[in-house]
Amino acid sequence: MLDKSKKTGNSNFSEEEIARFDALADSWWDPSGKYKTALEFNRARLTVIKTQLENHFGKGNLPPDYSALSIIDIGSGGGLISEPLAALGAKVTGIDASSVSVEVAKRHALKSGVDVEYKHMLSSEAVMTGQQYDVVINAEVVEHVPDQRQLINECASLVKPGGLLILATLNRTIKSYVIAIVGAEYVMRYLPVGTHDWRKFVKPQELQAWVGDSFALKHQTGMRLNPFKGEWLTTPSLSVNFIQAYSKHE
């Protein structure tokens, strides 16, 4: 459950959303569990993220020196993105508004022997520390917060000059409603009913406007599921799930 001791004067979270993810937390890492399709999605998403890191910091030729990279994963959940990047050698901080998710992530990282710093905190609190990072990741979070522009603004402010901002969410289209809500929640039961509110889905151009002029859009790609093989693939279409990578001007 949400830790009520957290200060809530300037909190950009929904208690209903946090409670929903608390209930999911222990299932996130189970490869044979009911959310295995979401795990497959995460693997495909990680491939895109690592490619963008290599293109940006390794100049597209060599893998970057991950040990030289500081990364913050905002809305890190059970650590599905944070832990694999830390396993490559990066210095990773994962923050989440759900104390339960943070504890799940900590326990899994300890079991895996991977060094990740997890914190129960909000992006606004991270901004107040004054620290910036080479890479800021915000994946599948913006569609769950009340003030979406505020969250993206905070993510952008946490990126070092010359750094990378990676955003992933769902597009607000008729197709996304049919696939991500009707299909994924009601028909296939890949996710619990009510996980998403279509009205909170975000169009790519809206994200770009919120990121602001201090950034350049470097890459964007869609993600689609092959239902026959259970595999997630990249696609030029941004009509449902999509990922964007922005570089911050020096």
Side-chain angles (χ1 to χ4, degrees):
M1 295 178 62
L2 181 67
D3 183 349
K4 301 296 185 180
S5 67
K6 297 292 285 184
K7 53 182 176 292
T8 57
N10 188 35
S11 295
N12 186 18
F13 66 85
S14 160
E15 292 194 18
E16 181 181 354
E17 292 286 351
I18 299 306
R20 194 188 316 280
F21 281 99
D22 283 350
L24 292 175
D26 281 319
S27 303
W28 283 346
W29 284 98
D30 185 357
S32 58
K34 58 182 177 179
Y35 304 128
K36 60 183 179 182
T37 301
L39 277 173
E40 288 299 324
F41 171 69
N42 185 67
R43 290 190 186 95
R45 181 176 59 181
L46 269 170
T47 298
V48 175
I49 291 173
K50 287 190 288 186
T51 298
Q52 293 311 305
L53 294 181
E54 291 169 6
N55 288 343
H56 188 74
F57 296 101
K59 308 305 179 186
N61 298 316
L62 298 170
D65 179 4
Y66 279 99
S67 66
L69 294 181
S70 60
I71 300 175
I72 186 168
D73 180 11
I74 297 172
S76 51
L80 297 179
I81 291 177
S82 295
E83 188 175 308
L85 294 178
L88 293 172
K91 182 180 179 182
V92 180
T93 301
I95 68 170
D96 202 280
S98 165
S99 59
V100 173
S101 297
V102 169
E103 290 307 312
V104 168
K106 285 181 177 179
R107 291 198 301 270
H108 195 275
L110 184 63
K111 182 179 178 180
S112 303
V114 178
D115 184 17
V116 190
E117 183 178 21
Y118 289 111
K119 297 180 179 180
H120 178 209
M121 67 189 303
L122 304 173
S123 54
S124 57
E125 294 172 294
V127 170
M128 287 189 292
T129 68
Q131 187 172 353
Q132 291 185 310
Y133 299 83
D134 297 305
V135 183
V136 175
I137 299 172
N138 185 267
E140 273 69 46
V141 178
V142 68
E143 68 269 24
H144 297 289
V145 300
D147 193 332
Q148 296 174 304
R149 181 188 292 270
Q150 176 188 327
L151 175 62
I152 299 305
N153 289 167
E154 289 166 353
C155 291
S157 71
L158 288 166
V159 183
K160 290 180 180 179
L164 199 63
L165 173 63
I166 296 176
L167 304 173
T169 188
L170 293 113
N171 199 348
R172 193 172 63 255
T173 62
I174 297 300
K175 186 175 180 180
S176 72
Y177 181 83
V178 172
I179 292 177
I181 296 183
V182 177
E185 296 183 18
Y186 286 88
V187 178
M188 301 305 295
R189 302 288 176 164
Y190 292 143
L191 293 169
V193 172
T195 295
H196 291 113
D197 179 349
W198 180 83
R199 295 169 297 179
K200 301 293 286 185
F201 288 4
V202 183
K203 292 184 176 294
Q205 59 268 33
E206 291 172 336
L207 275 187
Q208 190 166 3
W210 296 341
V211 167
D213 295 336
S214 297
F215 290 80
L217 178 63
K218 305 297 290 185
H219 178 77
Q220 59 182 356
T221 187
M223 304 289 293
R224 68 175 180 86
L225 174 67
N226 180 330
F228 301 105
K229 295 184 177 181
E231 295 177 346
W232 282 89
L233 305 168
T234 58
T235 173
S237 173
L238 308 181
S239 59
V240 187
N241 295 87
F242 69 94
I243 302 175
Q244 294 181 321
Y246 295 85
S247 63
K248 190 170 187 177
H249 302 318
E250 296 279 1

